[in-house]
Amino acid sequence: MIGASEYPPCPSHGIGGTEALKTIRASSIRDGSNGNPPRQRFLCRFELASGEVGEHRYRGEPMPRLMTASALCPDCGQPVEDWYGERVFPNYHFTAEPIADALVKIASGDSYRQAAQSLRLLAGAASGSKEASVVQRLTEVLAPILHQALAPQAWPEGGLLAVDAVRFNLLGRHKYEGESTGLTVEHAIGDLLEMFDPDEAEDQEAKRDLAKFLPPDQTERTGIQGGVPNWQILGAYGYPVDSKGTIPRSANAGQPWLFRAYHGGDALTWAHFFRQLPGTPAYVISDMAPAIGLGVELAWPDPATRPKLLICEYHATEVIKSRLPDDPRLQEEVKRLFLTSGRWIGGVYHPDISNGEVGSIMRLRHFATFRRLAREAEAFDFSRLFATPTWRRVMAQVVNKDWKLRYSTGALETELYKLGHRQIEWRAGRMTNRVRTDALLMLLHLGMLQKATSDNLLHVIEHWLRHHSSLPRQLRQTDAKGATPSLRRSLTDAELQGVGLMTNSEFEAWQSKRRTRLMHLRRERKIKKDPKLRKAVNRKRVERRQRNDPDNLARKRWYQEHRQEEIDKAMARKVAAKALAQIPPVSISEGEPK
């Protein structure tokens, strides 16, 4: 039983912990202050059921309060004691509410400097140069806690997942200046400076030496189009299953699900991205990038539970149009392939067509019409177009389209456009640490979800402190060379093995075997369908055998080794047939032999 007190109860003997269940009596009194600015300290005297009596000191609430000289509360105007001031995070100078407001500004897309300026104004502090770094470190420490509590922490089970990426490149200065006279020494040196690794000491030393030959106003610039690939953001937009067990087609039914920063976008990177959250969606829709499909195969190796791959209709339509000749009839049939929905086609009602079921007759009709027009088109290699695996996937999706699903990545591309062009592009060149970049993306993700409010953030942080008693450790500058990965490097073997994936060397060997196997399967399929090719392959096989063994010795040797085995099998078949012939027939009526 806790003793009555006007002060906050002891965390160990009052509101939580195993000792609180054994406490018979506990009381708290004020016991001075500590810290700068000062925080009230309390003395707890307790008595346990075992007879143990003791005392210890604590700070009170999960977020301690500062000492205040004002006798009135700034919010409600009621009189308060001098220890009942504003709440603060442990080991931080600024109070909790201005820090939460600064994190809200970061989540809305403001820079660290803008958020630091707002923090100084709200806290009433003098202008300083370290507040921007304080806001950055707070983002690094608190963003994972906030994201874990307010953002989705598992893939939509049985739902649909749209994935895409936005890439940031290092641009040469001649591309900005628009000069047509060719490259100069300054342009070449500028491109070299942008390709150096900021985490390597040797590259930094060489960068300082080369920078002496450049004008002082030339700085590192980044962009999304053109240039040298630098790093990219992988994003996912989820559509969970509703209460009826179906996936809604409306874009408002989904939400931004996850965003992570990586150096590259190969299959292993996508597999690592898919392993960031548990769960298995039913469908994964993307553009026609092969790395995404291979990443899905690596992330979910079991074919029985692996998500089904879908192709975005916009990307598929653009790819088809780019391969078609300039024929208006073909262009119109391409639109009909993807826009045929239910019984309404071109504004005309067709009662004899199934209402949007899988394998609609009208889609098959449009597919046959498109195939006939494509074959009749001049200067168009129709057979080569249909031979590619991607084209077969597109046509299979068109014919077997399920209108209950959504076939577009437009909602995700809209969020990636806002994230890339408005919030990241202007500072992408200065981002080199993947962990810190991910922390910033977590806050921006909360801003997309409209959950980054001051009250939400304070509630989550206070709940964390109540159960963990302290905030996570801040990363040091030296961590970037060791445990913290860099955005200028691909994923290491340790990071891949940490999520249950194969290493880089194992992936290269696996991909080589897979490529060889697919090549043999495609060749066998082509040989089976083409009689002329099959005849030519058989002729080359006979010629190769005659060239390697002109006297047919290998065939005779094999026959001699297996001759006795074949004779024994033939004799066993004869004995079985003779024994079967000697069995008398059975009378159906009497059940006895005749």
Side-chain angles (χ1 to χ4, degrees), residues 395-547:
M395 288 297 99
Q397 178 173 307
V398 168
V399 174
N400 301 314
K401 183 175 180 179
D402 187 359
W403 285 94
K404 298 177 182 179
L405 299 178
R406 179 177 178 84
Y407 293 86
S408 174
T409 59
L412 174 61
E413 291 182 354
T414 302
E415 298 295 340
L416 285 176
Y417 176 82
K418 296 177 182 178
L419 186 64
H421 286 272
R422 300 179 183 179
Q423 299 174 344
I424 299 295
E425 183 182 5
W426 56 274
R427 51 184 170 183
R430 298 187 296 272
M431 293 182 176
T432 59
N433 189 285
R434 182 152 57 88
V435 172
R436 291 168 182 163
T437 306
D438 285 341
L440 175 61
L441 292 177
M442 290 177 187
L443 282 184
L444 295 175
H445 184 200
L446 295 181
M448 297 178 191
L449 298 175
Q450 298 181 357
K451 294 183 178 180
T453 62
S454 180
D455 294 337
N456 286 346
L457 302 189
L458 285 177
H459 177 72
V460 171
I461 297 172
E462 186 175 4
H463 183 270
W464 172 275
L465 289 173
R466 184 178 293 114
H467 290 81
H468 298 82
S469 71
S470 64
L471 294 176
R473 183 185 65 87
Q474 297 179 358
L475 291 179
R476 299 171 299 175
Q477 295 295 330
T478 55
D479 292 340
K481 300 179 181 179
T484 304
S486 172
L487 278 177
R488 302 299 185 264
R489 299 187 182 91
S490 301
L491 294 172
T492 61
D493 293 343
E495 292 173 321
L496 295 173
Q497 291 177 345
V499 294
L501 295 175
M502 60 183 69
T503 61
N504 290 282
S505 58
E506 293 174 350
F507 171 71
E508 293 178 0
W510 176 82
Q511 191 176 21
S512 178
K513 292 181 181 179
R514 182 178 181 275
R515 192 182 297 113
T516 304
R517 184 173 66 255
L518 291 177
M519 182 181 64
H520 286 301
L521 290 177
R522 292 170 187 169
R523 180 173 175 79
E524 291 177 1
R525 190 182 300 113
K526 187 182 298 185
I527 291 173
K528 187 180 296 184
K529 291 183 178 181
D530 193 348
K532 294 183 179 180
L533 181 60
R534 183 167 62 250
K535 186 176 180 180
V537 169
N538 292 334
R539 184 178 66 252
K540 290 182 179 180
R541 188 179 301 166
V542 172
E543 292 176 356
R544 183 170 60 253
R545 186 175 62 203
Q546 293 177 353
R547 182 172 61 253

Side-chain angles (χ1 to χ4, degrees), residues 104-395:
V104 171
K105 289 187 175 296
I106 295 295
S108 63
D110 291 352
S111 65
Y112 292 123
R113 190 177 297 276
Q114 292 172 337
Q117 183 179 3
S118 174
L119 177 63
R120 288 195 299 268
L121 293 176
L122 292 175
S127 177
S129 59
K130 296 183 179 181
E131 282 77 6
S133 61
V134 171
V135 174
Q136 183 178 5
R137 293 178 182 177
L138 282 168
T139 302
E140 170 193 329
V141 171
L142 300 178
I145 300 174
L146 301 172
H147 190 268
Q148 183 179 2
L150 301 176
Q153 295 302 308
W155 296 122
E157 193 71 31
L160 187 143
L161 195 67
V163 296
D164 205 346
V166 57
R167 186 178 64 183
F168 302 96
N169 301 331
L170 292 175
L171 300 182
R173 292 165 180 79
H174 53 281
K175 299 174 184 176
Y176 273 106
E177 296 172 1
E179 296 182 1
S180 59
T181 57
L183 295 178
T184 63
V185 176
E186 294 181 354
H187 295 155
I189 294 177
D191 290 341
L192 287 175
L193 292 179
E194 293 172 343
M195 297 176 64
F196 283 162
D197 192 343
D199 294 332
E200 292 291 340
E202 297 179 356
D203 287 3
Q204 291 301 306
E205 185 177 357
K207 185 174 182 178
R208 288 191 295 269
D209 294 336
L210 283 175
K212 300 176 182 178
F213 299 95
L214 290 178
D217 58 341
Q218 293 210 7
T219 57
E220 197 175 60
R221 305 190 184 198
T222 60
I224 294 180
Q225 298 295 333
V228 180
N230 192 15
W231 62 281
Q232 56 186 325
I233 297 176
L234 275 57
Y237 202 94
Y239 297 87
V241 179
D242 57 10
S243 59
K244 299 180 181 179
T246 59
I247 304 174
R249 297 187 69 252
S250 175
N252 298 327
Q255 62 178 347
W257 212 266
L258 186 66
F259 296 93
R260 289 291 184 269
Y262 291 94
H263 171 65
D266 55 358
L268 275 179
T269 303
W270 276 105
H272 188 274
F273 174 75
F274 290 132
R275 289 289 181 90
Q276 295 300 303
L277 296 180
T280 304
Y283 303 93
V284 173
I285 182 172
S286 64
D287 55 9
M288 307 177 75
I292 298 179
L294 196 56
V296 171
E297 184 177 348
L298 293 172
W300 293 283
D302 187 6
T305 60
R306 183 183 303 157
K308 183 179 179 181
L309 286 174
L310 301 178
I311 298 176
C312 177
E313 288 187 348
Y314 172 78
H315 294 88
T317 306
E318 293 299 319
V319 171
I320 293 174
K321 289 182 179 180
S322 65
R323 298 185 179 184
L324 294 179
D326 190 11
D327 190 338
R329 297 181 303 168
L330 279 173
Q331 303 288 342
E332 185 65 24
E333 288 299 326
V334 169
K335 294 180 181 179
R336 291 180 179 179
L337 279 174
F338 292 96
L339 298 180
T340 304
S341 174
R343 306 186 182 191
W344 289 93
I345 301 169
V348 180
Y349 181 74
H350 298 266
D352 57 334
I353 301 175
S354 58
N355 190 13
E357 297 296 333
V358 177
S360 173
I361 299 298
M362 185 54 65
R363 287 199 295 276
L364 293 174
R365 184 187 304 176
H366 284 313
F367 177 72
T369 305
F370 171 75
R371 183 167 55 184
R372 177 177 56 81
L373 294 175
R375 285 173 176 171
E376 295 175 358
E378 299 180 358
F380 177 60
D381 192 356
F382 178 80
S383 60
R384 183 178 180 183
L385 179 63
F386 269 81
T388 58
T390 304
W391 176 257
R392 288 197 296 270
R393 280 183 55 200
V394 172
M395 288 297 99

Side-chain angles (χ1 to χ4, degrees), residues 569-579:
K569 290 181 180 180
M571 290 299 296
R573 287 194 296 269
K574 289 181 180 181
V575 171
K578 187 176 181 180

